[in-house]
Amino acid sequence: MKVAIEADGLVKGYGKGVRALDGVTFSVEQGTVFGLLGPNGAGKSTLLKILAGTLEPEQGIVRIPPGRSVAYLAQLAPASTGRTLWQEMESVFERLAAVQRQLDQLTERMHDAEGDDLMDLVHAQAELHHEFDR
């Protein structure tokens, strides 16, 4: 199976020799569902922030295949967003929703298109479907 995400030797500390992560190494295969469990202060949020690219490790590397990304929804959403918790959760799908809107618009345009114009729209639709599936 293909690896969806891989971490190698991740180290992250928070002052006075306290390390949230100390040499964390793992890989997750595509299609794997997993949970991240541990007591408060064990480094779960730190690890997720590093995987999402919002925090840099002191050492180690994260490998994510091209075309893939990691999103992280913080436990405590910033109060200044003006969005509900539901809207905040939906925000991770904003790009997907935008692609869906583009697909809908292309479908409408295809009803009146002919010949080369129709073929151009079909190719554009195929590219958007590929992005949507990714």
Side-chain angles (χ1 to χ4, degrees), residues 4-19:
I5 190 165
E6 186 175 18
D8 188 16
L10 297 179
V11 174
K12 181 64 178 176
Y14 291 104
K16 295 190 179 184
V18 176
R19 285 191 168 170

Side-chain angles (χ1 to χ4, degrees), residues 36-44:
L36 186 59
L37 305 172
N40 290 344
K44 301 178 301 291

Side-chain angles (χ1 to χ4, degrees), residues 39-132:
N40 290 344
K44 301 178 301 291
S45 294
T46 299
L47 176 60
L48 292 173
K49 289 175 186 176
I50 289 172
L51 296 177
T54 62
L55 185 66
E56 290 294 321
E58 294 168 19
Q59 294 177 16
I61 189 165
V62 173
R63 293 179 196 90
I64 300 170
R68 300 263 180 201
S69 63
V70 175
Y72 170 74
L73 178 62
Q75 295 175 40
L76 301 172
S80 64
T81 65
R83 297 189 286 201
T84 66
L85 179 58
W86 185 260
Q87 290 168 329
E88 192 68 30
M89 288 188 307
E90 283 183 321
S91 72
V92 300
F93 299 108
E94 287 174 353
R95 179 64 191 138
L96 192 60
V99 170
Q100 181 61 58
R101 285 190 298 275
Q102 289 175 317
L103 281 167
D104 293 345
Q105 291 169 356
L106 274 177
T107 301
E108 285 298 316
R109 291 174 53 199
M110 290 171 80
H111 290 296
D112 298 324
E114 295 177 356
D116 288 342
D117 290 338
L118 179 58
M119 288 310 298
D120 290 343
L121 293 173
V122 168
H123 290 298
Q125 183 185 45
E127 288 178 23
L128 284 171
H129 273 294
H130 180 70
E131 183 176 348
F132 189 89

